[in-house]
Amino acid sequence: MKKQYQDEITNAIKACQKIDGINHIYFAACGGSMAFMQPAEYIINRECDIPATILPSREFTTRDPHDLGEHSVVVTCSHSGSTPETNEAAKFAKEKGALTIGIAFTPDSDLEKNSDYTLHYSWGKGTDASDLNTGVLYGFIFGLLKAVTGDAKYDKGLKALDDLEAIAERTRQQFGDTTKKWTSELKREKLIYAIGSGINLGETYSFSACWLQEMQWINSSCIDSAEYFHGPFEITDFDVPFIICEGMGVTRKMDQRAADFAKKHSDKVYVIDNADFDMHEIDDDFKEYYSQILSGVVFRQLAEGFSYERGHSLEARRYMWHLDY
Amino acid sequence: MKKQYQDEITNAIKACQKIDGINHIYFAACGGSMAFMQPAEYIINRECDIPATILPSREFTTRDPHDLGEHSVVVTCSHSGSTPETNEAAKFAKEKGALTIGIAFTPDSDLEKNSDYTLHYSWGKGTDASDLNTGVLYGFIFGLLKAVTGDAKYDKGLKALDDLEAIAERTRQQFGDTTKKWTSELKREKLIYAIGSGINLGETYSFSACWLQEMQWINSSCIDSAEYFHGPFEITDFDVPFIICEGMGVTRKMDQRAADFAKKHSDKVYVIDNADFDMHEIDDDFKEYYSQILSGVVFRQLAEGFSYERGHSLEARRYMWHLDY
């Protein structure tokens, strides 16, 4: 990871440590920027006693959480740093006295002005995975957990960032042909369901709402594996397509149960099996947390595959960038 | 409200008060039983400093929250009291030392055995609204808030339960013809999006996952108004149907923005405007919290309308009750 990013993380963590007892960490953002932070909420809730909540930016500001104040940390994210709802959330949190940390790609953005600390990241082809948004987020989260709990095991979580690019590239190679085949078979579909859970829920949501609905205009819904059998599974039929993210950790059984049922009753079930990811460089305690980054690598390949097969650019928009709304 | 239910609520609240500082209230259930508890998480987060989190039952147990312990309260719900995942969640929470409160219709259920306290409720036509699941839940939540904060204003929230049946029946009368018309117009649709936010999010999810997907086999997705413009809105087109729940409180502007845009670009937008609800008996501070119960009344009328227009019984299932899975 670039020294600039490491320094920004260190400064933000130091500011968190100055709070005399963090009462709540809120994550607020929109769309893909919210989805990418979902694992942070999940990891914090699993690893330490600080309550963590993730909300769409305007759900956060309209909700106006009662416990939001000087003991709170509010982490926001916007790629451009200009998303109005997320800037509102950062401003609102600052007014309430919370420590605000903005995550943004663009330097000197509004979000940077509205945040006490900013964590920048890099973007685009050729970027080392540790410098991408998730690399920086994980650097911050595992660093914060180490600072808060005093447990040296999080060094292993941080060390994994050094190998992340090699692991991501290996996954890209591994799934290249598979994702091409899948998108060729699915290219005529007007509706595709995405199923996932636990650490993968953010990436699954992102695939459904951003890659499929926004960038391919394919109807979709993100279904939590834990919820599939409690309503949604009744729409399963031989011709209903599902892309299922099967985790390699604690949610694996639950994801498998959904995948097994869907495969039995639909001819169009495609499973991204996280157990197929080769993450041998990463310590066992952290493999699950990192697996969702690789799910994201495969989801992106699927999006690129759909774009190619359907001649529908990932940059095509009907409304965004063209209209005021 | 029946005296039995009042007594059960009083006992559960007394048990909560015996905890020396509640560190977290978790709500865990599946499908409609989870959705109906979503407002509780929302209200607690808005009204007091106790962190609240709602999760599908198996997301809760697999996540194994780090702070779950003797200072925690875990509220579960299952209509039959037999949902395996929810019983697992209650057992798991009890093993961790948490105070467990189960909400169930069926007496002497497994959930009752696996919970420290049970809140029962009534069901079926002719039941007074205060004795239904949401009436009992609100009795518990406002009672708990009064106990925890010492604020007498929650008496007004409790008092509203006395008028709830009259208000619900008035809403039923008000929306009877409207919902018949809407479902007649929408009966051939293969996909219907549901949009809502804030206090209405649970009922909107329930409409999408339980009424449409499960009970009508209509494809659907629940979209948070706060997220609509950050991905999903690109699937909007003249022939894409949306049913939008427009709140009457803090999220109203956000819901309206989504509805205004959708109406501009789709010919099939149907808005349940919560500002049309006559809730004059209820104190202003509590109108928003109660509005979602009335949204639920209208959603149910829509489900019944779809069932009639499509000749598709709300009891019809392909898989549930017929297969092991």
Side-chain angles (χ1 to χ4, degrees):
Chain A
M1 190 188 291
K2 284 186 190 174
K3 188 167 179 308
Q4 179 202 335
Y5 301 167
Q6 282 175 347
D7 291 346
E8 287 176 348
I9 288 171
T10 303
N11 290 335
I13 291 172
K14 272 187 195 157
C16 291
Q17 286 182 284
K18 279 190 193 144
I19 297 172
D20 183 20
I22 298 171
N23 75 334
H24 211 135
I25 304 179
Y26 285 96
F27 297 90
C30 300
S33 293
M34 178 182 72
F36 116 93
M37 294 203 293
Q38 177 269 333
E41 179 262 350
Y42 180 84
I43 292 169
I44 287 172
N45 197 202
R46 293 203 62 183
E47 296 287 331
C48 79
D49 289 345
I50 303 172
T53 301
I54 183 160
L55 289 166
S57 295
R58 276 205 183 137
E59 285 282 3
F60 172 73
T61 44
T62 54
R63 179 182 285 218
D64 183 8
H66 197 275
D67 67 353
L68 180 65
E70 290 173 9
H71 290 261
S72 313
V73 176
V74 177
V75 185
T76 61
C77 175
S78 163
H79 186 73
S80 64
S82 66
T83 312
E85 296 95 322
T86 304
N87 275 290
E88 278 169 31
K91 265 195 239 178
F92 177 78
K94 216 173 184 175
E95 279 164 24
K96 293 273 176 177
L99 174 70
T100 52
I101 299 168
I103 306 179
F105 164 70
T106 312
D108 304 320
S109 67
D110 284 348
L111 192 61
E112 189 157 350
K113 291 180 195 89
N114 289 321
S115 304
D116 296 315
Y117 293 84
T118 305
L119 309 180
H120 292 96
Y121 60 85
S122 301
W123 200 245
K125 290 226 165 167
T127 304
D128 187 88
S130 69
D131 292 325
L132 291 169
N133 54 357
T134 316
V136 168
L137 179 72
Y138 274 35
F140 171 65
I141 293 299
F142 291 134
L144 182 65
L145 282 168
K146 189 187 170 186
V148 164
T149 67
D151 194 332
K153 78 170 176 179
Y154 296 107
D155 284 333
K156 297 182 200 163
L158 291 167
K159 208 204 135 282
L161 288 170
D162 299 337
D163 299 307
L164 188 54
E165 180 55 32
I167 296 168
E169 181 52 30
R170 194 194 296 148
T171 306
R172 241 172 256 129
Q173 298 294 333
Q174 184 186 355
F175 280 84
D177 291 340
T178 308
T179 51
K180 271 181 200 157
K181 184 170 177 293
W182 291 5
T183 50
S184 169
E185 290 173 17
L186 286 168
K187 67 181 163 189
R188 314 261 187 246
E189 299 297 339
K190 293 185 176 0
L191 167 78
I192 299 171
Y193 283 106
I195 299 183
S197 71
I199 193 78
N200 279 311
L201 207 54
E203 278 299 330
T204 309
Y205 173 81
S206 210
F207 178 65
S208 174
C210 301
W211 294 120
L212 292 183
Q213 289 185 304
E214 176 179 328
M215 302 193 199
Q216 288 297 302
W217 308 351
I218 293 174
N219 290 300
S220 184
S221 181
C222 169
I223 299 170
D224 191 316
S225 309
E227 281 289 279
Y228 177 59
F229 293 103
H230 299 281
F233 82 139
E234 286 285 339
I235 47 80
T236 310
D237 209 337
F238 72 96
D239 59 348
V240 179
F242 294 90
I243 294 178
I244 302 177
C245 195
E246 198 171 286
M248 47 75 67
V250 292
T251 61
R252 181 164 182 80
K253 259 195 189 173
M254 177 166 86
D255 297 330
Q256 276 180 332
R257 184 176 168 231
D260 288 348
F261 184 92
K263 277 189 245 173
K264 214 166 159 181
H265 299 280
S266 163
D267 299 333
K268 297 177 181 175
V269 178
Y270 297 81
V271 177
I272 303 171
D273 188 346
N274 288 195
D276 291 339
F277 297 153
D278 175 359
M279 297 186 280
H280 70 266
E281 297 93 335
I282 299 179
D283 183 87
D284 279 348
D285 284 351
F286 293 89
K287 281 195 171 88
E288 180 178 356
Y289 293 153
Y290 274 91
S291 63
Q292 67 89 17
I293 300 180
L294 304 180
S295 300
V297 165
V298 180
F299 278 133
R300 168 178 279 273
Q301 285 181 307
L302 286 172
E304 286 166 355
F306 277 122
S307 173
Y308 171 79
E309 291 286 347
R310 303 174 76 242
H312 184 115
S313 162
L314 294 173
E315 308 294 319
R317 297 289 185 282
R318 274 193 262 240
Y319 310 117
M320 202 178 275
W321 311 324
H322 303 302
L323 295 179
D324 284 328
Y325 48 83
Chain B
M1 191 187 291
K2 285 187 190 173
K3 186 165 180 308
Q4 179 202 337
Y5 301 168
Q6 283 175 347
D7 290 346
E8 288 176 348
I9 289 170
T10 304
N11 290 335
I13 292 171
K14 272 187 196 156
C16 291
Q17 284 182 286
K18 280 191 194 142
I19 297 172
D20 183 20
I22 298 171
N23 75 336
H24 211 136
I25 303 179
Y26 284 96
F27 297 91
C30 300
S33 294
M34 178 183 71
F36 116 93
M37 294 204 292
Q38 177 269 334
E41 178 263 350
Y42 180 83
I43 293 170
I44 289 172
N45 197 202
R46 292 203 63 184
E47 296 286 333
C48 79
D49 289 345
I50 303 171
T53 302
I54 184 160
L55 289 167
S57 295
R58 276 206 182 136
E59 284 282 3
F60 172 75
T61 43
T62 54
R63 178 182 286 215
D64 183 8
H66 197 275
D67 67 353
L68 179 66
E70 289 172 12
H71 289 262
S72 315
V73 176
V74 177
V75 185
T76 61
C77 176
S78 162
H79 187 73
S80 64
S82 66
T83 312
E85 296 95 321
T86 305
N87 275 291
E88 277 169 32
K91 264 194 240 180
F92 177 77
K94 215 171 184 178
E95 279 165 22
K96 293 272 178 177
L99 174 69
T100 53
I101 299 169
I103 306 179
F105 163 70
T106 311
D108 305 320
S109 67
D110 284 349
L111 191 61
E112 192 158 347
K113 291 182 195 88
N114 289 320
S115 304
D116 296 315
Y117 293 85
T118 305
L119 310 180
H120 293 95
Y121 60 86
S122 302
W123 199 243
K125 290 224 168 170
T127 304
D128 188 89
S130 69
D131 293 325
L132 290 169
N133 55 357
T134 317
V136 169
L137 179 72
Y138 274 35
F140 171 65
I141 293 300
F142 291 134
L144 183 65
L145 282 168
K146 189 187 169 187
V148 164
T149 67
D151 194 333
K153 78 169 177 179
Y154 296 108
D155 284 332
K156 298 181 200 164
L158 291 168
K159 207 204 135 285
L161 288 170
D162 299 338
D163 299 308
L164 189 54
E165 180 56 33
I167 297 168
E169 180 53 30
R170 194 194 294 148
T171 306
R172 242 172 256 131
Q173 297 294 333
Q174 185 186 356
F175 280 83
D177 291 341
T178 309
T179 51
K180 272 181 200 159
K181 186 171 176 291
W182 292 5
T183 49
S184 169
E185 290 173 17
L186 285 167
K187 67 182 163 188
R188 314 262 187 243
E189 299 297 339
K190 295 187 174 3
L191 166 80
I192 300 172
Y193 283 106
I195 300 184
S197 71
I199 193 78
N200 279 311
L201 207 53
E203 278 299 330
T204 309
Y205 173 80
S206 210
F207 178 66
S208 174
C210 302
W211 295 120
L212 293 183
Q213 289 184 307
E214 176 180 328
M215 301 193 200
Q216 287 296 302
W217 308 351
I218 294 174
N219 290 301
S220 184
S221 180
C222 169
I223 300 170
D224 191 316
S225 309
E227 280 289 280
Y228 177 60
F229 293 104
H230 299 281
F233 83 138
E234 286 284 340
I235 47 80
T236 310
D237 209 335
F238 72 96
D239 59 349
V240 179
F242 294 90
I243 294 177
I244 302 178
C245 195
E246 200 172 284
M248 48 77 64
V250 293
T251 60
R252 181 165 181 80
K253 260 196 189 173
M254 177 166 87
D255 296 329
Q256 277 180 331
R257 184 177 168 229
D260 288 349
F261 184 92
K263 278 189 244 174
K264 214 168 161 180
H265 300 280
S266 162
D267 300 331
K268 299 178 180 172
V269 179
Y270 297 82
V271 177
I272 303 170
D273 188 347
N274 288 194
D276 291 339
F277 296 154
D278 175 359
M279 296 186 282
H280 69 266
E281 297 92 336
I282 300 179
D283 184 86
D284 280 350
D285 285 351
F286 293 89
K287 280 195 172 86
E288 180 178 355
Y289 294 153
Y290 273 92
S291 63
Q292 66 89 16
I293 300 180
L294 304 180
S295 300
V297 165
V298 181
F299 278 134
R300 170 177 277 273
Q301 285 181 306
L302 287 171
E304 286 165 357
F306 277 123
S307 173
Y308 172 78
E309 292 286 348
R310 303 174 77 243
H312 184 115
S313 162
L314 294 174
E315 309 295 318
R317 298 289 186 282
R318 269 191 265 240
Y319 309 118
M320 202 177 276
W321 312 325
H322 304 302
L323 294 180
D324 284 328
Y325 47 84

